[in-house]
Amino acid sequence: MTDNNTEKAIRTVEGRVISNKMDKTVTVLVERQVKHALYGKYVRRSTKLHAHDADNSCKEGDVVRVKEISPMSKTKNWTVVEIVNRAAEA
């Protein structure tokens, strides 16, 4: 017998906004550290995600938290949950 109330855990990650040139979409760079299989050294790996930003509030350099959603377009299946810290004004 299976339990029908089990939901898939919502994936959330933090990253830095590297582009906000699209309308209602930002590109977020997510970095993680992975241990090398043979040498054991920790290597930095990164992923670029397209995230939905409904009110165009994110600026380049902001650190944001994004969560996974059902696909909105060919490449966009994340949405901005909150802006963790703002980029310094130059």
Side-chain angles (χ1 to χ4, degrees), residues 14-88:
E14 282 188 17
R16 192 177 74 250
V17 176
I18 55 173
S19 172
N20 63 348
K21 290 175 175 55
M22 294 172 277
D23 184 34
K24 296 186 180 179
T25 306
V26 291
T27 304
V28 180
L29 183 76
V30 178
E31 289 188 330
R32 64 190 190 282
Q33 288 187 326
V34 179
K35 193 172 185 180
H36 191 280
L38 178 61
Y39 298 115
K41 179 180 178 178
Y42 283 94
V43 184
R44 186 179 298 157
R45 297 276 180 234
S46 62
T47 308
K48 287 182 187 175
L49 307 172
H50 287 152
H52 183 65
D53 179 22
D55 43 356
N56 288 322
S57 58
C58 295
K59 304 280 188 280
E60 286 189 24
D62 290 352
V63 176
V64 295
R65 184 171 291 123
V66 294
K67 74 171 182 176
E68 198 170 27
I69 57 170
S70 59
M72 296 184 81
S73 69
K74 181 179 176 181
T75 59
K76 186 162 69 166
N77 54 1
W78 295 81
T79 186
V80 175
V81 177
E82 66 173 316
I83 298 172
V84 180
N85 13 347
R86 290 273 184 196

